[in-house]
Amino acid sequence: MSTYSFLNVNATLVGPGGSVNLGASAAVSEEGITIEAIEDKNILTIGAGGQGMHSLVANESSTVTIRLLKTSPTNTVLQNMYNFQTVSSVRHGRNVIVITDLGRGDVITLSGTAFKRAPTITYAKEGGMMEWAFDAISTVRVLGIGTPSIF
């Protein structure tokens, strides 16, 4: 398939204090959702004689950034969950985020996820966006081989 639409993207966060939709109907800003590995998967070491060695890193952690319009009601839900989870280590780091693209068959599951920080709040001429960042201990990526929606 050669088309893409954010309308096909579903995303949910489930954890202590609630669950929330983070997909197309959550007033996500045009910058959308980004998943970025925290560390490189490979470390290349070159010896004194010029020979090389690859080291495979076992780290599957990621940072997830979700950008919502300033006026999205989802900001309130996330702020309440942030407040609830960050008062105790018992609640911290227990979220799961699942992102799917039904049109492409992508499924990304992030577990052991914690709020990285409270979002920066800006009051300006334009409403702008709120960026919510999360750190995930485990990231499982399946691109394009899930079960895409066929019409």
Side-chain angles (χ1 to χ4, degrees):
M1 177 183 279
S2 61
T3 61
Y4 166 83
S5 174
F6 191 76
L7 294 174
N8 294 331
V9 175
N10 293 315
T12 57
L13 177 144
V14 177
S19 64
V20 62
N21 168 33
L22 301 170
S25 64
V28 175
S29 71
E30 68 180 26
E31 293 81 5
I33 300 170
T34 304
I35 301 123
E36 182 177 359
I38 288 178
E39 183 178 22
D40 291 342
K41 194 66 172 169
N42 181 66
I43 298 172
L44 174 62
T45 305
I46 302 296
Q51 295 81 12
M53 173 183 72
H54 291 283
S55 296
L56 179 62
V57 177
N59 187 347
E60 294 294 339
S61 63
S62 294
T63 295
V64 180
T65 305
I66 298 164
R67 297 165 190 88
L68 301 174
L69 295 176
K70 177 80 167 180
T71 57
S72 172
T74 305
N75 289 310
T76 300
V77 177
L78 289 174
Q79 186 65 62
N80 289 338
M81 288 180 74
Y82 174 90
N83 293 344
F84 183 74
Q85 292 179 16
T86 58
V87 296
S88 171
S89 62
V90 172
R91 301 174 188 155
H92 189 68
R94 298 183 182 270
N95 296 304
V96 174
I97 298 174
V98 177
I99 302 166
T100 59
D101 179 344
L102 299 175
R104 312 227 52 82
D106 299 348
V107 180
I108 302 171
T109 305
L110 304 116
S111 55
T113 305
F115 284 90
K116 186 177 185 85
R117 69 178 75 83
T120 300
I121 300 170
T122 302
Y123 297 98
K125 178 180 177 180
E126 295 182 15
M129 66 180 157
M130 303 279 283
E131 288 189 348
W132 293 91
F134 301 85
D135 284 332
I137 293 172
S138 173
T139 307
V140 177
R141 297 168 177 88
V142 178
L143 297 180
I145 60 172
T147 53
S149 176
I150 298 174
F151 297 95

